[in-house]
Amino acid sequence: MQLLESSAEALDRGLARIDQIYQDMVQKGRIRPDDKAKRLALISKASSYDAIANADIVIEAAFEEMGVKKEVFARLDQVCKADAVLATNTSTLDVDEIAGATKRPKSVIGLHFFSPANVMKLLEIVRGKHTARDVVATSQALAKTFGKVASCAASATASSPTDRAAR
């Protein structure tokens, strides 16, 4: 797994936070120290979009601001391989509008991990108007891999995930 951030400081803060989460899990007896080490070894740092060009799935977790999300997805569209799944972790923004920043809206989906993601078992999968069925299926398989219960909803401009799921 690659953790992409725009600065070395942000990368270091992100990895330190992940390390602390795993350390808390060790202290609570949820994982063993060697499991923590194995998990951390799977994470590599990236400071350039080029480092994720061959990723099969990219999950964006930028600020909940439409302009920022669109900028990120426009860049992902340029860099990522053609069959990559491009997922947003938005909880309130319209997935279709985010997908509109790409030339491949069929590859864009919402994967909203409830916080704290390492504890919460629910993963909301939000399909856009143009999201391909194989992208939805891949997202559902990913949810199972993460040990999550997937809740599927259609994209809408709603103020909350609950509103979207109700439509």
Side-chain angles (χ1 to χ4, degrees):
M1 178 179 91
Q2 298 243 316
L3 181 62
L4 173 66
E5 270 291 353
S6 57
S7 72
E9 296 81 22
L11 272 171
D12 290 341
R13 281 192 311 271
L15 281 175
R17 179 69 182 123
I18 293 168
D19 182 79
Q20 184 60 56
I21 289 168
Y22 286 149
Q23 186 57 40
D24 292 347
M25 292 171 75
V26 167
Q27 288 176 340
K28 292 176 183 174
R30 293 181 61 207
I31 63 172
R32 296 185 323 251
D34 60 322
D35 291 329
K36 173 189 171 190
K38 287 176 188 174
R39 290 177 182 195
L40 288 173
L42 294 173
I43 303 170
S44 60
K45 296 192 276 185
S47 58
S48 164
Y49 278 85
D50 293 334
I52 60 169
N54 291 316
D56 294 319
I57 301 173
V58 176
I59 304 172
E60 160 277 322
F63 296 112
E64 281 294 286
E65 183 180 305
M66 186 58 79
V68 172
K69 301 276 189 189
K70 286 176 148 181
E71 185 179 316
V72 168
F73 273 80
R75 185 73 176 123
L76 291 173
D77 189 47
Q78 293 172 350
V79 174
C80 293
K81 63 185 183 176
D83 61 342
V85 172
L86 306 180
T88 178
N89 187 41
T90 188
S91 61
T92 60
L93 301 176
D94 185 357
V95 173
D96 289 324
E97 188 174 344
I98 294 168
T102 74
K103 294 177 183 136
R104 49 174 145 177
K106 67 182 183 355
S107 299
V108 179
I109 194 159
L111 294 180
H112 176 223
F113 292 83
F114 286 79
S115 184
N118 64 311
V119 175
M120 299 298 288
K121 295 290 184 192
L122 182 61
L123 171 61
E124 180 186 33
I125 299 174
V126 183
R127 60 180 166 74
K129 202 180 310 179
H130 303 288
T131 304
R133 287 181 184 207
D134 65 317
V135 172
V136 175
T138 297
S139 299
Q140 290 170 326
L142 182 67
K144 284 183 183 179
T145 300
F146 288 153
K148 303 285 184 185
V149 175
S151 168
C152 294
S155 181
T157 51
S159 61
S160 74
T162 305
D163 292 342
R164 277 198 307 264
R167 291 186 177 189

PDB file of all heavy atoms in Angstrom, residues 20-59:
ATOM      1  N   GLN A  20       0.714   4.703  15.809  1.00  0.00           N
ATOM      2  CA  GLN A  20       0.063   4.840  17.120  1.00  0.00           C
ATOM      3  C   GLN A  20      -1.214   4.011  17.193  1.00  0.00           C
ATOM      4  O   GLN A  20      -1.491   3.376  18.212  1.00  0.00           O
ATOM      5  CB  GLN A  20      -0.245   6.311  17.418  1.00  0.00           C
ATOM      6  CG  GLN A  20      -0.831   6.515  18.805  1.00  0.00           C
ATOM      7  CD  GLN A  20       0.110   6.038  19.907  1.00  0.00           C
ATOM      8  OE1 GLN A  20       1.246   6.464  19.985  1.00  0.00           O
ATOM      9  NE2 GLN A  20      -0.364   5.136  20.757  1.00  0.00           N
ATOM     10  N   ILE A  21      -1.984   3.990  16.113  1.00  0.00           N
ATOM     11  CA  ILE A  21      -3.206   3.177  16.083  1.00  0.00           C
ATOM     12  C   ILE A  21      -2.861   1.705  16.274  1.00  0.00           C
ATOM     13  O   ILE A  21      -3.489   1.008  17.073  1.00  0.00           O
ATOM     14  CB  ILE A  21      -3.988   3.404  14.771  1.00  0.00           C
ATOM     15  CG1 ILE A  21      -4.618   4.804  14.777  1.00  0.00           C
ATOM     16  CG2 ILE A  21      -5.052   2.324  14.567  1.00  0.00           C
ATOM     17  CD1 ILE A  21      -5.162   5.244  13.430  1.00  0.00           C
ATOM     18  N   TYR A  22      -1.848   1.236  15.556  1.00  0.00           N
ATOM     19  CA  TYR A  22      -1.433  -0.163  15.704  1.00  0.00           C
ATOM     20  C   TYR A  22      -0.878  -0.429  17.097  1.00  0.00           C
ATOM     21  O   TYR A  22      -1.120  -1.491  17.675  1.00  0.00           O
ATOM     22  CB  TYR A  22      -0.401  -0.549  14.635  1.00  0.00           C
ATOM     23  CG  TYR A  22      -0.986  -0.738  13.259  1.00  0.00           C
ATOM     24  CD1 TYR A  22      -0.237  -0.451  12.128  1.00  0.00           C
ATOM     25  CD2 TYR A  22      -2.273  -1.237  13.073  1.00  0.00           C
ATOM     26  CE1 TYR A  22      -0.759  -0.637  10.856  1.00  0.00           C
ATOM     27  CE2 TYR A  22      -2.804  -1.415  11.809  1.00  0.00           C
ATOM     28  CZ  TYR A  22      -2.044  -1.126  10.710  1.00  0.00           C
ATOM     29  OH  TYR A  22      -2.551  -1.310   9.445  1.00  0.00           O
ATOM     30  N   GLN A  23      -0.141   0.528  17.664  1.00  0.00           N
ATOM     31  CA  GLN A  23       0.392   0.345  19.024  1.00  0.00           C
ATOM     32  C   GLN A  23      -0.744   0.234  20.032  1.00  0.00           C
ATOM     33  O   GLN A  23      -0.695  -0.606  20.937  1.00  0.00           O
ATOM     34  CB  GLN A  23       1.332   1.498  19.394  1.00  0.00           C
ATOM     35  CG  GLN A  23       2.018   1.300  20.726  1.00  0.00           C
ATOM     36  CD  GLN A  23       2.828   0.002  20.793  1.00  0.00           C
ATOM     37  OE1 GLN A  23       3.493  -0.383  19.835  1.00  0.00           O
ATOM     38  NE2 GLN A  23       2.764  -0.678  21.917  1.00  0.00           N
ATOM     39  N   ASP A  24      -1.780   1.049  19.853  1.00  0.00           N
ATOM     40  CA  ASP A  24      -2.957   0.957  20.729  1.00  0.00           C
ATOM     41  C   ASP A  24      -3.610  -0.423  20.609  1.00  0.00           C
ATOM     42  O   ASP A  24      -4.051  -1.004  21.611  1.00  0.00           O
ATOM     43  CB  ASP A  24      -3.979   2.043  20.394  1.00  0.00           C
ATOM     44  CG  ASP A  24      -3.501   3.444  20.743  1.00  0.00           C
ATOM     45  OD1 ASP A  24      -2.492   3.583  21.475  1.00  0.00           O
ATOM     46  OD2 ASP A  24      -4.130   4.410  20.259  1.00  0.00           O
ATOM     47  N   MET A  25      -3.663  -0.954  19.400  1.00  0.00           N
ATOM     48  CA  MET A  25      -4.248  -2.283  19.182  1.00  0.00           C
ATOM     49  C   MET A  25      -3.408  -3.363  19.859  1.00  0.00           C
ATOM     50  O   MET A  25      -3.961  -4.314  20.423  1.00  0.00           O
ATOM     51  CB  MET A  25      -4.386  -2.560  17.679  1.00  0.00           C
ATOM     52  CG  MET A  25      -5.431  -1.674  17.006  1.00  0.00           C
ATOM     53  SD  MET A  25      -5.427  -1.811  15.200  1.00  0.00           S
ATOM     54  CE  MET A  25      -6.231  -3.411  15.003  1.00  0.00           C
ATOM     55  N   VAL A  26      -2.083  -3.209  19.826  1.00  0.00           N
ATOM     56  CA  VAL A  26      -1.192  -4.146  20.515  1.00  0.00           C
ATOM     57  C   VAL A  26      -1.457  -4.083  22.019  1.00  0.00           C
ATOM     58  O   VAL A  26      -1.612  -5.115  22.677  1.00  0.00           O
ATOM     59  CB  VAL A  26       0.298  -3.844  20.205  1.00  0.00           C
ATOM     60  CG1 VAL A  26       1.223  -4.606  21.152  1.00  0.00           C
ATOM     61  CG2 VAL A  26       0.626  -4.167  18.758  1.00  0.00           C
ATOM     62  N   GLN A  27      -1.525  -2.887  22.567  1.00  0.00           N
ATOM     63  CA  GLN A  27      -1.733  -2.716  24.008  1.00  0.00           C
ATOM     64  C   GLN A  27      -3.075  -3.275  24.466  1.00  0.00           C
ATOM     65  O   GLN A  27      -3.191  -3.746  25.591  1.00  0.00           O
ATOM     66  CB  GLN A  27      -1.596  -1.248  24.391  1.00  0.00           C
ATOM     67  CG  GLN A  27      -0.168  -0.762  24.322  1.00  0.00           C
ATOM     68  CD  GLN A  27      -0.022   0.722  24.601  1.00  0.00           C
ATOM     69  OE1 GLN A  27      -0.967   1.494  24.502  1.00  0.00           O
ATOM     70  NE2 GLN A  27       1.198   1.116  24.938  1.00  0.00           N
ATOM     71  N   LYS A  28      -4.075  -3.251  23.591  1.00  0.00           N
ATOM     72  CA  LYS A  28      -5.399  -3.788  23.924  1.00  0.00           C
ATOM     73  C   LYS A  28      -5.503  -5.284  23.631  1.00  0.00           C
ATOM     74  O   LYS A  28      -6.540  -5.893  23.880  1.00  0.00           O
ATOM     75  CB  LYS A  28      -6.478  -3.039  23.142  1.00  0.00           C
ATOM     76  CG  LYS A  28      -6.633  -1.605  23.581  1.00  0.00           C
ATOM     77  CD  LYS A  28      -7.645  -0.876  22.721  1.00  0.00           C
ATOM     78  CE  LYS A  28      -7.730   0.588  23.134  1.00  0.00           C
ATOM     79  NZ  LYS A  28      -8.592   1.362  22.248  1.00  0.00           N
ATOM     80  N   GLY A  29      -4.419  -5.861  23.103  1.00  0.00           N
ATOM     81  CA  GLY A  29      -4.415  -7.292  22.810  1.00  0.00           C
ATOM     82  C   GLY A  29      -5.164  -7.675  21.534  1.00  0.00           C
ATOM     83  O   GLY A  29      -5.449  -8.842  21.308  1.00  0.00           O
ATOM     84  N   ARG A  30      -5.467  -6.703  20.700  1.00  0.00           N
ATOM     85  CA  ARG A  30      -6.203  -6.994  19.459  1.00  0.00           C
ATOM     86  C   ARG A  30      -5.293  -7.548  18.373  1.00  0.00           C
ATOM     87  O   ARG A  30      -5.756  -8.272  17.493  1.00  0.00           O
ATOM     88  CB  ARG A  30      -6.922  -5.737  18.967  1.00  0.00           C
ATOM     89  CG  ARG A  30      -8.040  -5.319  19.937  1.00  0.00           C
ATOM     90  CD  ARG A  30      -8.800  -4.106  19.480  1.00  0.00           C
ATOM     91  NE  ARG A  30      -9.456  -4.353  18.209  1.00  0.00           N
ATOM     92  CZ  ARG A  30      -9.750  -3.406  17.340  1.00  0.00           C
ATOM     93  NH1 ARG A  30      -9.443  -2.154  17.595  1.00  0.00           N
ATOM     94  NH2 ARG A  30     -10.349  -3.700  16.215  1.00  0.00           N
ATOM     95  N   ILE A  31      -4.008  -7.167  18.396  1.00  0.00           N
ATOM     96  CA  ILE A  31      -3.012  -7.725  17.478  1.00  0.00           C
ATOM     97  C   ILE A  31      -1.722  -7.958  18.256  1.00  0.00           C
ATOM     98  O   ILE A  31      -1.520  -7.385  19.323  1.00  0.00           O
ATOM     99  CB  ILE A  31      -2.745  -6.822  16.246  1.00  0.00           C
ATOM    100  CG1 ILE A  31      -2.152  -5.463  16.664  1.00  0.00           C
ATOM    101  CG2 ILE A  31      -3.997  -6.658  15.392  1.00  0.00           C
ATOM    102  CD1 ILE A  31      -1.692  -4.596  15.493  1.00  0.00           C
ATOM    103  N   ARG A  32      -0.867  -8.793  17.686  1.00  0.00           N
ATOM    104  CA  ARG A  32       0.429  -9.061  18.299  1.00  0.00           C
ATOM    105  C   ARG A  32       1.456  -8.055  17.777  1.00  0.00           C
ATOM    106  O   ARG A  32       1.279  -7.495  16.689  1.00  0.00           O
ATOM    107  CB  ARG A  32       0.871 -10.483  17.972  1.00  0.00           C
ATOM    108  CG  ARG A  32      -0.044 -11.552  18.551  1.00  0.00           C
ATOM    109  CD  ARG A  32       0.501 -12.962  18.303  1.00  0.00           C
ATOM    110  NE  ARG A  32       1.149 -13.129  17.012  1.00  0.00           N
ATOM    111  CZ  ARG A  32       0.652 -13.827  15.988  1.00  0.00           C
ATOM    112  NH1 ARG A  32      -0.501 -14.446  16.104  1.00  0.00           N
ATOM    113  NH2 ARG A  32       1.312 -13.924  14.860  1.00  0.00           N
ATOM    114  N   PRO A  33       2.535  -7.833  18.519  1.00  0.00           N
ATOM    115  CA  PRO A  33       3.569  -6.895  18.056  1.00  0.00           C
ATOM    116  C   PRO A  33       4.119  -7.249  16.672  1.00  0.00           C
ATOM    117  O   PRO A  33       4.383  -6.353  15.871  1.00  0.00           O
ATOM    118  CB  PRO A  33       4.650  -7.003  19.127  1.00  0.00           C
ATOM    119  CG  PRO A  33       3.909  -7.387  20.371  1.00  0.00           C
ATOM    120  CD  PRO A  33       2.809  -8.309  19.891  1.00  0.00           C
ATOM    121  N   ASP A  34       4.272  -8.550  16.392  1.00  0.00           N
ATOM    122  CA  ASP A  34       4.787  -8.916  15.069  1.00  0.00           C
ATOM    123  C   ASP A  34       3.765  -8.628  13.968  1.00  0.00           C
ATOM    124  O   ASP A  34       4.134  -8.330  12.826  1.00  0.00           O
ATOM    125  CB  ASP A  34       5.270 -10.369  15.023  1.00  0.00           C
ATOM    126  CG  ASP A  34       4.197 -11.378  15.348  1.00  0.00           C
ATOM    127  OD1 ASP A  34       3.363 -11.125  16.234  1.00  0.00           O
ATOM    128  OD2 ASP A  34       4.188 -12.444  14.689  1.00  0.00           O
ATOM    129  N   ASP A  35       2.457  -8.659  14.291  1.00  0.00           N
ATOM    130  CA  ASP A  35       1.426  -8.272  13.324  1.00  0.00           C
ATOM    131  C   ASP A  35       1.534  -6.779  13.015  1.00  0.00           C
ATOM    132  O   ASP A  35       1.390  -6.362  11.865  1.00  0.00           O
ATOM    133  CB  ASP A  35       0.022  -8.575  13.851  1.00  0.00           C
ATOM    134  CG  ASP A  35      -0.263 -10.063  13.941  1.00  0.00           C
ATOM    135  OD1 ASP A  35       0.298 -10.825  13.121  1.00  0.00           O
ATOM    136  OD2 ASP A  35      -1.045 -10.450  14.825  1.00  0.00           O
ATOM    137  N   LYS A  36       1.791  -6.003  14.057  1.00  0.00           N
ATOM    138  CA  LYS A  36       1.979  -4.565  13.851  1.00  0.00           C
ATOM    139  C   LYS A  36       3.141  -4.329  12.897  1.00  0.00           C
ATOM    140  O   LYS A  36       3.014  -3.554  11.935  1.00  0.00           O
ATOM    141  CB  LYS A  36       2.245  -3.867  15.183  1.00  0.00           C
ATOM    142  CG  LYS A  36       2.608  -2.395  15.028  1.00  0.00           C
ATOM    143  CD  LYS A  36       3.087  -1.779  16.336  1.00  0.00           C
ATOM    144  CE  LYS A  36       3.639  -0.385  16.064  1.00  0.00           C
ATOM    145  NZ  LYS A  36       4.319   0.189  17.211  1.00  0.00           N
ATOM    146  N   ALA A  37       4.242  -4.987  13.132  1.00  0.00           N
ATOM    147  CA  ALA A  37       5.428  -4.807  12.284  1.00  0.00           C
ATOM    148  C   ALA A  37       5.145  -5.221  10.844  1.00  0.00           C
ATOM    149  O   ALA A  37       5.552  -4.531   9.895  1.00  0.00           O
ATOM    150  CB  ALA A  37       6.603  -5.606  12.846  1.00  0.00           C
ATOM    151  N   LYS A  38       4.422  -6.334  10.659  1.00  0.00           N
ATOM    152  CA  LYS A  38       4.085  -6.788   9.306  1.00  0.00           C
ATOM    153  C   LYS A  38       3.190  -5.783   8.591  1.00  0.00           C
ATOM    154  O   LYS A  38       3.377  -5.501   7.411  1.00  0.00           O
ATOM    155  CB  LYS A  38       3.387  -8.155   9.365  1.00  0.00           C
ATOM    156  CG  LYS A  38       4.299  -9.300   9.699  1.00  0.00           C
ATOM    157  CD  LYS A  38       3.507 -10.596   9.824  1.00  0.00           C
ATOM    158  CE  LYS A  38       4.369 -11.715  10.345  1.00  0.00           C
ATOM    159  NZ  LYS A  38       3.592 -12.941  10.607  1.00  0.00           N
ATOM    160  N   ARG A  39       2.217  -5.255   9.307  1.00  0.00           N
ATOM    161  CA  ARG A  39       1.295  -4.282   8.712  1.00  0.00           C
ATOM    162  C   ARG A  39       2.031  -3.003   8.320  1.00  0.00           C
ATOM    163  O   ARG A  39       1.812  -2.454   7.237  1.00  0.00           O
ATOM    164  CB  ARG A  39       0.157  -3.952   9.678  1.00  0.00           C
ATOM    165  CG  ARG A  39      -0.796  -5.104   9.867  1.00  0.00           C
ATOM    166  CD  ARG A  39      -1.868  -4.766  10.877  1.00  0.00           C
ATOM    167  NE  ARG A  39      -2.755  -5.902  11.095  1.00  0.00           N
ATOM    168  CZ  ARG A  39      -3.928  -5.805  11.685  1.00  0.00           C
ATOM    169  NH1 ARG A  39      -4.375  -4.633  12.102  1.00  0.00           N
ATOM    170  NH2 ARG A  39      -4.674  -6.879  11.853  1.00  0.00           N
ATOM    171  N   LEU A  40       2.885  -2.512   9.201  1.00  0.00           N
ATOM    172  CA  LEU A  40       3.628  -1.291   8.896  1.00  0.00           C
ATOM    173  C   LEU A  40       4.575  -1.496   7.714  1.00  0.00           C
ATOM    174  O   LEU A  40       4.781  -0.582   6.912  1.00  0.00           O
ATOM    175  CB  LEU A  40       4.396  -0.805  10.122  1.00  0.00           C
ATOM    176  CG  LEU A  40       3.542  -0.209  11.237  1.00  0.00           C
ATOM    177  CD1 LEU A  40       4.392   0.083  12.477  1.00  0.00           C
ATOM    178  CD2 LEU A  40       2.826   1.058  10.766  1.00  0.00           C
ATOM    179  N   ALA A  41       5.121  -2.703   7.599  1.00  0.00           N
ATOM    180  CA  ALA A  41       6.032  -2.997   6.488  1.00  0.00           C
ATOM    181  C   ALA A  41       5.318  -2.979   5.135  1.00  0.00           C
ATOM    182  O   ALA A  41       5.964  -2.817   4.089  1.00  0.00           O
ATOM    183  CB  ALA A  41       6.709  -4.346   6.708  1.00  0.00           C
ATOM    184  N   LEU A  42       4.004  -3.117   5.141  1.00  0.00           N
ATOM    185  CA  LEU A  42       3.233  -3.098   3.893  1.00  0.00           C
ATOM    186  C   LEU A  42       2.980  -1.686   3.367  1.00  0.00           C
ATOM    187  O   LEU A  42       2.522  -1.521   2.243  1.00  0.00           O
ATOM    188  CB  LEU A  42       1.882  -3.804   4.101  1.00  0.00           C
ATOM    189  CG  LEU A  42       1.938  -5.296   4.395  1.00  0.00           C
ATOM    190  CD1 LEU A  42       0.551  -5.814   4.752  1.00  0.00           C
ATOM    191  CD2 LEU A  42       2.510  -6.047   3.201  1.00  0.00           C
ATOM    192  N   ILE A  43       3.277  -0.681   4.183  1.00  0.00           N
ATOM    193  CA  ILE A  43       3.002   0.705   3.809  1.00  0.00           C
ATOM    194  C   ILE A  43       4.277   1.372   3.327  1.00  0.00           C
ATOM    195  O   ILE A  43       5.302   1.339   4.001  1.00  0.00           O
ATOM    196  CB  ILE A  43       2.444   1.501   5.008  1.00  0.00           C
ATOM    197  CG1 ILE A  43       1.177   0.839   5.548  1.00  0.00           C
ATOM    198  CG2 ILE A  43       2.173   2.954   4.605  1.00  0.00           C
ATOM    199  CD1 ILE A  43       0.700   1.408   6.872  1.00  0.00           C
ATOM    200  N   SER A  44       4.189   1.970   2.149  1.00  0.00           N
ATOM    201  CA  SER A  44       5.319   2.755   1.668  1.00  0.00           C
ATOM    202  C   SER A  44       4.865   4.183   1.420  1.00  0.00           C
ATOM    203  O   SER A  44       3.699   4.444   1.146  1.00  0.00           O
ATOM    204  CB  SER A  44       5.921   2.141   0.404  1.00  0.00           C
ATOM    205  OG  SER A  44       4.970   2.079  -0.622  1.00  0.00           O
ATOM    206  N   LYS A  45       5.806   5.094   1.548  1.00  0.00           N
ATOM    207  CA  LYS A  45       5.504   6.514   1.395  1.00  0.00           C
ATOM    208  C   LYS A  45       5.664   6.919  -0.068  1.00  0.00           C
ATOM    209  O   LYS A  45       6.543   6.430  -0.765  1.00  0.00           O
ATOM    210  CB  LYS A  45       6.452   7.360   2.245  1.00  0.00           C
ATOM    211  CG  LYS A  45       6.307   7.127   3.727  1.00  0.00           C
ATOM    212  CD  LYS A  45       7.036   8.180   4.533  1.00  0.00           C
ATOM    213  CE  LYS A  45       8.491   7.896   4.718  1.00  0.00           C
ATOM    214  NZ  LYS A  45       9.161   8.859   5.610  1.00  0.00           N
ATOM    215  N   ALA A  46       4.796   7.840  -0.503  1.00  0.00           N
ATOM    216  CA  ALA A  46       4.881   8.401  -1.845  1.00  0.00           C
ATOM    217  C   ALA A  46       4.589   9.890  -1.768  1.00  0.00           C
ATOM    218  O   ALA A  46       3.677  10.313  -1.069  1.00  0.00           O
ATOM    219  CB  ALA A  46       3.882   7.714  -2.766  1.00  0.00           C
ATOM    220  N   SER A  47       5.377  10.667  -2.486  1.00  0.00           N
ATOM    221  CA  SER A  47       5.149  12.114  -2.502  1.00  0.00           C
ATOM    222  C   SER A  47       4.824  12.599  -3.906  1.00  0.00           C
ATOM    223  O   SER A  47       4.718  13.789  -4.141  1.00  0.00           O
ATOM    224  CB  SER A  47       6.367  12.850  -1.944  1.00  0.00           C
ATOM    225  OG  SER A  47       7.510  12.520  -2.692  1.00  0.00           O
ATOM    226  N   SER A  48       4.642  11.656  -4.832  1.00  0.00           N
ATOM    227  CA  SER A  48       4.331  11.998  -6.213  1.00  0.00           C
ATOM    228  C   SER A  48       3.221  11.087  -6.727  1.00  0.00           C
ATOM    229  O   SER A  48       3.226   9.887  -6.456  1.00  0.00           O
ATOM    230  CB  SER A  48       5.585  11.816  -7.077  1.00  0.00           C
ATOM    231  OG  SER A  48       5.255  11.784  -8.442  1.00  0.00           O
ATOM    232  N   TYR A  49       2.303  11.654  -7.471  1.00  0.00           N
ATOM    233  CA  TYR A  49       1.227  10.862  -8.057  1.00  0.00           C
ATOM    234  C   TYR A  49       1.785   9.746  -8.943  1.00  0.00           C
ATOM    235  O   TYR A  49       1.164   8.697  -9.077  1.00  0.00           O
ATOM    236  CB  TYR A  49       0.287  11.747  -8.874  1.00  0.00           C
ATOM    237  CG  TYR A  49      -0.738  12.480  -8.053  1.00  0.00           C
ATOM    238  CD1 TYR A  49      -0.440  13.700  -7.455  1.00  0.00           C
ATOM    239  CD2 TYR A  49      -2.014  11.974  -7.885  1.00  0.00           C
ATOM    240  CE1 TYR A  49      -1.382  14.386  -6.713  1.00  0.00           C
ATOM    241  CE2 TYR A  49      -2.967  12.643  -7.140  1.00  0.00           C
ATOM    242  CZ  TYR A  49      -2.655  13.851  -6.557  1.00  0.00           C
ATOM    243  OH  TYR A  49      -3.588  14.517  -5.822  1.00  0.00           O
ATOM    244  N   ASP A  50       2.935   9.957  -9.537  1.00  0.00           N
ATOM    245  CA  ASP A  50       3.536   8.927 -10.399  1.00  0.00           C
ATOM    246  C   ASP A  50       3.759   7.617  -9.645  1.00  0.00           C
ATOM    247  O   ASP A  50       3.719   6.546 -10.234  1.00  0.00           O
ATOM    248  CB  ASP A  50       4.860   9.427 -10.985  1.00  0.00           C
ATOM    249  CG  ASP A  50       4.656  10.580 -11.953  1.00  0.00           C
ATOM    250  OD1 ASP A  50       3.556  10.678 -12.543  1.00  0.00           O
ATOM    251  OD2 ASP A  50       5.587  11.394 -12.124  1.00  0.00           O
ATOM    252  N   ALA A  51       3.964   7.693  -8.336  1.00  0.00           N
ATOM    253  CA  ALA A  51       4.214   6.495  -7.529  1.00  0.00           C
ATOM    254  C   ALA A  51       2.991   5.587  -7.450  1.00  0.00           C
ATOM    255  O   ALA A  51       3.118   4.399  -7.167  1.00  0.00           O
ATOM    256  CB  ALA A  51       4.646   6.896  -6.117  1.00  0.00           C
ATOM    257  N   ILE A  52       1.800   6.133  -7.725  1.00  0.00           N
ATOM    258  CA  ILE A  52       0.583   5.316  -7.649  1.00  0.00           C
ATOM    259  C   ILE A  52       0.004   5.018  -9.033  1.00  0.00           C
ATOM    260  O   ILE A  52      -1.118   4.524  -9.148  1.00  0.00           O
ATOM    261  CB  ILE A  52      -0.485   5.981  -6.750  1.00  0.00           C
ATOM    262  CG1 ILE A  52      -0.892   7.350  -7.281  1.00  0.00           C
ATOM    263  CG2 ILE A  52       0.018   6.078  -5.310  1.00  0.00           C
ATOM    264  CD1 ILE A  52      -2.121   7.935  -6.600  1.00  0.00           C
ATOM    265  N   ALA A  53       0.769   5.291 -10.077  1.00  0.00           N
ATOM    266  CA  ALA A  53       0.292   5.137 -11.457  1.00  0.00           C
ATOM    267  C   ALA A  53      -0.181   3.720 -11.780  1.00  0.00           C
ATOM    268  O   ALA A  53      -1.099   3.549 -12.581  1.00  0.00           O
ATOM    269  CB  ALA A  53       1.385   5.561 -12.434  1.00  0.00           C
ATOM    270  N   ASN A  54       0.402   2.713 -11.165  1.00  0.00           N
ATOM    271  CA  ASN A  54       0.033   1.325 -11.456  1.00  0.00           C
ATOM    272  C   ASN A  54      -0.895   0.700 -10.429  1.00  0.00           C
ATOM    273  O   ASN A  54      -1.134  -0.509 -10.453  1.00  0.00           O
ATOM    274  CB  ASN A  54       1.292   0.472 -11.609  1.00  0.00           C
ATOM    275  CG  ASN A  54       2.053   0.849 -12.862  1.00  0.00           C
ATOM    276  OD1 ASN A  54       1.469   1.028 -13.924  1.00  0.00           O
ATOM    277  ND2 ASN A  54       3.364   1.004 -12.726  1.00  0.00           N
ATOM    278  N   ALA A  55      -1.429   1.506  -9.533  1.00  0.00           N
ATOM    279  CA  ALA A  55      -2.329   0.986  -8.500  1.00  0.00           C
ATOM    280  C   ALA A  55      -3.624   0.485  -9.131  1.00  0.00           C
ATOM    281  O   ALA A  55      -4.131   1.056 -10.095  1.00  0.00           O
ATOM    282  CB  ALA A  55      -2.639   2.076  -7.484  1.00  0.00           C
ATOM    283  N   ASP A  56      -4.150  -0.601  -8.571  1.00  0.00           N
ATOM    284  CA  ASP A  56      -5.433  -1.132  -9.031  1.00  0.00           C
ATOM    285  C   ASP A  56      -6.603  -0.349  -8.442  1.00  0.00           C
ATOM    286  O   ASP A  56      -7.630  -0.167  -9.085  1.00  0.00           O
ATOM    287  CB  ASP A  56      -5.573  -2.609  -8.636  1.00  0.00           C
ATOM    288  CG  ASP A  56      -4.553  -3.482  -9.353  1.00  0.00           C
ATOM    289  OD1 ASP A  56      -4.311  -3.257 -10.548  1.00  0.00           O
ATOM    290  OD2 ASP A  56      -4.006  -4.397  -8.702  1.00  0.00           O
ATOM    291  N   ILE A  57      -6.438   0.098  -7.198  1.00  0.00           N
ATOM    292  CA  ILE A  57      -7.472   0.860  -6.498  1.00  0.00           C
ATOM    293  C   ILE A  57      -6.804   2.033  -5.790  1.00  0.00           C
ATOM    294  O   ILE A  57      -5.812   1.847  -5.080  1.00  0.00           O
ATOM    295  CB  ILE A  57      -8.213  -0.003  -5.448  1.00  0.00           C
ATOM    296  CG1 ILE A  57      -8.878  -1.207  -6.106  1.00  0.00           C
ATOM    297  CG2 ILE A  57      -9.242   0.827  -4.690  1.00  0.00           C
ATOM    298  CD1 ILE A  57      -9.475  -2.200  -5.128  1.00  0.00           C
ATOM    299  N   VAL A  58      -7.361   3.221  -5.980  1.00  0.00           N
ATOM    300  CA  VAL A  58      -6.880   4.416  -5.294  1.00  0.00           C
ATOM    301  C   VAL A  58      -8.045   4.939  -4.454  1.00  0.00           C
ATOM    302  O   VAL A  58      -9.142   5.128  -4.966  1.00  0.00           O
ATOM    303  CB  VAL A  58      -6.428   5.500  -6.295  1.00  0.00           C
ATOM    304  CG1 VAL A  58      -6.022   6.769  -5.569  1.00  0.00           C
ATOM    305  CG2 VAL A  58      -5.287   4.988  -7.166  1.00  0.00           C
ATOM    306  N   ILE A  59      -7.800   5.144  -3.165  1.00  0.00           N
ATOM    307  CA  ILE A  59      -8.825   5.689  -2.288  1.00  0.00           C
ATOM    308  C   ILE A  59      -8.355   7.061  -1.817  1.00  0.00           C
ATOM    309  O   ILE A  59      -7.386   7.166  -1.076  1.00  0.00           O
ATOM    310  CB  ILE A  59      -9.106   4.766  -1.077  1.00  0.00           C
ATOM    311  CG1 ILE A  59      -9.498   3.374  -1.554  1.00  0.00           C
ATOM    312  CG2 ILE A  59     -10.200   5.373  -0.200  1.00  0.00           C
ATOM    313  CD1 ILE A  59      -9.612   2.347  -0.439  1.00  0.00           C
TER     314      ILE A  59
END
